[in-house]
Amino acid sequence: MAILAQNRAVGTGTGGDKTPPVPAVRRFFRANAFGYALIAPQLIGFAIFGLVTTVQSIWLSLNSINALSGVTTFVGLENYVNLITGDRFPLVFTNTVFFVAAFSLLNIAVAMGIALLLNNRLRGVNIFRAAVFIPALVTMVAWALVSRFILQPEGLLDFLVSFTGAEETPWLRSRWLTLTVIIFVQLTKNVGINVLLCLAGLQAVDRELLEAAETDGAGWWARFRHVTIPQVSPTLFMVFLLTVVASFKVFEVILILTNGGPGYETNVLSFMIYDEAFRRHDFGEASALAVILLLMIIVVSSVLWAIRKKLVYAEND
Amino acid sequence: MTKRRTTPRVRIGRGVNYLTLIVISCVFLGPILWMVLGSVKSDAEILSYPPTLFPSEFKWSNYAQVFELQPFARQFFNSVFVMALVCALTVIVSACAGYAFARVKPLGSSILFLVLLSATFIPPEATIVPLFQLVTSLGWIDTYYPLVIITVFLHSAPIATFILRQAYLGLPKELGESARLDGASDLRIFLTIYTPLVRPSLAAVVVLAGWHSWSQYLEPLIYLRDTEMFTVPLALTQFYDPFAGPMWGIQMAATTLSVLPVLILFLFAQRHVISGLTAGAVKS
């Protein structure tokens, strides 16, 4: 019982102690009470607002709920069947998969690319580092509003693009192009954090190894591929996993730039939950979407966790 | 530091490196600059094509309008007030839990810690419907309670607990043991011996919690109806004319007002801000 051993030896009747032996239950309680008391607020709070509500979401998804009249009837899997056989969900699901995959991969590539540029000993490199990080400080809403200002028809972006001779581009009124624009807006805001993390990983790379590779005649690419990447791979993997999980939470950009439209062309799961629940007042369907969203996150992060051994280079871990 | 001869090739490489960084910086800072410029333009000028870089005349009244159309000062106070409470509560809750997970380790704490980690994977949208029902039944609509309490327990404290657990783990065991021999109580060891030593991590946690609270949008959008209670991000999206067209100039003025304090804070506490926002992602 290492746990008990760590704590103050409570009166167990040893070493000339004259107190009678304490019953096991009380001994356990005395040894652990302080720890539980410290953990309790956080854990009880999380249990109520996180775990109970998650279970509640699952329960609500099995019901047909009219939020306006307050009528709730148990319908089993009907919400799910309606969603999957409907024509909106497949579109939104595809958008979500595209968004998560493209956003996460692009994010890690851009973060690593910028980190490599910042990793050189250049004068004034700190100014560039701050520049990349500054959007991470402003709220997503502010960043999205400013982006909409730039993207508006006959706005700054149209003007800049007009030099290439292009006609007015429907930045916010198409499907794939608009999703790409949304990815770009979301990415520019928070990539600075990932850049700093990648930079920290790069600066921890063993210089001697790099120099050894150089004396062996390895070129820039070979050094990067066989020395740098393996060494930063644990950092990269962690950053990637967190980025994937975060990419399911895209909300403000879609609300402000497109409202999920035209139609459902640029809608994703997280936004559709809000849309169903608070604009169409269909809590049952919204909860079914919430459960699907949770399942997606669980599946994707489990898969990534399972294959991390193949992605991360580690010395005899 | 190895001395390098600057061959032409190295010089060209360096030039390309600089140039790329300058272009990239424009992408990141350009929008902020454009926002500030837009905030002092008239709507007519904003809608003219081609767009002007500098406003032909500075329309400072955009800033006055922000406060006339919305109770913006009050909304700013709401945001700051909620943020302060979130920071304070997060520090208290997560320092206690983090210390317990790192040092006290009561029976079953490692399993409980894993349960807590699952918080990172629950997006706010996934539980917003039951939370809305809960908030409604508690009578918390249009109050600060949900924005503080739910945010702390669900979003900011779990990550903070993780960060502080790491910090407490990094301190030597002997500190507490020798204090115990001197007869210090558990609580005293926690508060006066270990906690002062994790001050940098506490600062990081405050930044992270504040950032979380300040930028929240979905929750206020759902829990608040009364403009007097709105937080800043929610207020920013309210500037529309009667025909539902955005009032660009006024909106950019309001956005500028919301961004500037944060940037100024960043200049003064750069190190803490960076460690706060990156600590949430580092898992070593």
Side-chain angles (χ1 to χ4, degrees), chain A residues 1 3 6-8 28 31-32 34-36 38-39 41-43 45-46 48-51 53-54 56-57 60 65 110 114 116-118 120-125 128-143 145-146 148-150 152 154-156 158-159 162 184 187-194 196-197 211 214 238-239 241-242 245 248-252 255-256 270-271 273-274 277-278 283 286-287 290-291 293-294 297 301, chain B residues 1-2 4 14 17-18 20-22 24-25 27-32 34-35 38 46-51 93-94 96-97 99-101 103-109 112 115-116 118-134 138 140 149-150 152-154 157-158 161 173 180 186-187 190 211 214-218 221-222 233-234 236-237 240 246 248 251-252 255 258-259 262-263 266 270 273-274 277-278 280-283:
Chain A
M1 292 301 286
I3 298 130
Q6 268 180 26
N7 289 285
R8 212 171 344 168
F28 166 82
N32 292 292
F34 178 61
Y36 288 142
L38 287 182
I39 295 172
Q42 163 77 91
L43 221 64
F46 174 62
I48 294 170
F49 299 118
L51 301 177
T53 49
T54 304
Q56 183 81 358
S57 268
L60 289 176
I65 304 155
V110 168
I114 297 177
L116 282 171
L117 287 170
L118 291 173
N120 299 321
R121 278 193 229 120
L122 293 168
R123 224 169 275 139
V125 83
F128 295 119
R129 204 177 56 186
V132 171
F133 187 75
I134 277 175
L137 301 170
V138 310
T139 61
M140 194 69 237
V141 171
W143 194 247
L145 286 170
V146 174
R148 193 181 60 173
F149 183 46
I150 290 169
Q152 64 171 317
E154 298 201 332
L156 179 66
D158 272 347
F159 177 67
S162 70
F184 186 81
L187 189 139
T188 45
K189 178 181 177 313
N190 272 341
V191 79
I193 294 173
N194 287 356
L196 290 184
L197 294 172
E211 279 159 16
E214 201 168 1
M238 226 51 233
V239 170
L241 182 65
L242 287 163
V245 173
F248 280 100
K249 305 176 188 179
V250 55
F251 177 75
E252 293 95 331
L255 179 81
I256 288 166
S270 50
F271 185 75
I273 292 169
Y274 164 78
F278 301 102
F283 281 4
S287 299
V291 173
L293 177 65
L294 273 176
I297 293 180
S301 40
Chain B
M1 292 289 277
T2 48
R4 271 187 164 169
R14 207 177 281 174
N17 200 338
Y18 265 122
T20 325
L21 281 173
I22 287 167
I24 288 170
S25 299
V27 172
F28 285 92
L29 292 183
I32 294 178
W34 193 244
M35 163 188 84
I46 284 170
L47 294 173
S48 67
Y49 191 82
V93 168
S94 62
C96 290
Y99 178 77
F101 283 128
R103 286 267 159 261
V104 188
K105 294 184 187 148
L107 196 62
S109 65
L112 294 177
V115 169
L116 190 63
S118 69
T120 327
F121 292 85
I122 305 175
E125 290 85 5
T127 52
I128 195 71
V129 173
L131 278 175
F132 170 74
Q133 293 182 322
L134 181 69
L138 288 169
W140 281 1
I149 296 171
I150 298 178
V152 168
F153 286 120
L154 199 53
T161 300
K173 257 205 188 105
R180 173 156 300 134
D186 285 336
L187 194 64
F190 161 46
W211 186 69
W214 181 257
S215 50
Q216 253 192 339
Y217 185 73
L218 174 72
L221 177 69
I222 280 155
L234 200 52
L236 293 183
T237 53
Y240 287 98
W248 290 116
Q251 191 167 70
M252 287 303 118
T255 313
S258 81
V259 166
V262 180
L263 293 188
F266 172 65
Q270 233 181 77
V273 172
I274 288 180
L277 295 195
T278 50
V282 181
K283 304 195 177 190

Side-chain angles (χ1 to χ4, degrees), chain B residues 18 21 42 52 65 76-77 79 88 96 100-101 110 121 125 151 176 187 195 202 212 219 225 232 242 253 261 283:
Chain B
Y18 265 122
L21 281 173
S42 67
T52 49
Q65 285 276 300
F76 211 90
F77 165 80
S79 259
C96 290
F101 283 128
S110 49
F121 292 85
E125 290 85 5
T151 304
L187 194 64
T195 302
L202 289 175
H212 238 114
E219 290 84 350
R225 311 271 165 73
V232 170
K283 304 195 177 190

Side-chain angles (χ1 to χ4, degrees), chain B residues 59 78 94 113 122 133 137 142 197 235 265 268:
Chain B
K59 194 166 180 277
N78 292 343
S94 62
F113 184 65
I122 305 175
Q133 293 182 322
S137 60
D142 272 339
L197 293 172
L265 274 178
F268 281 106

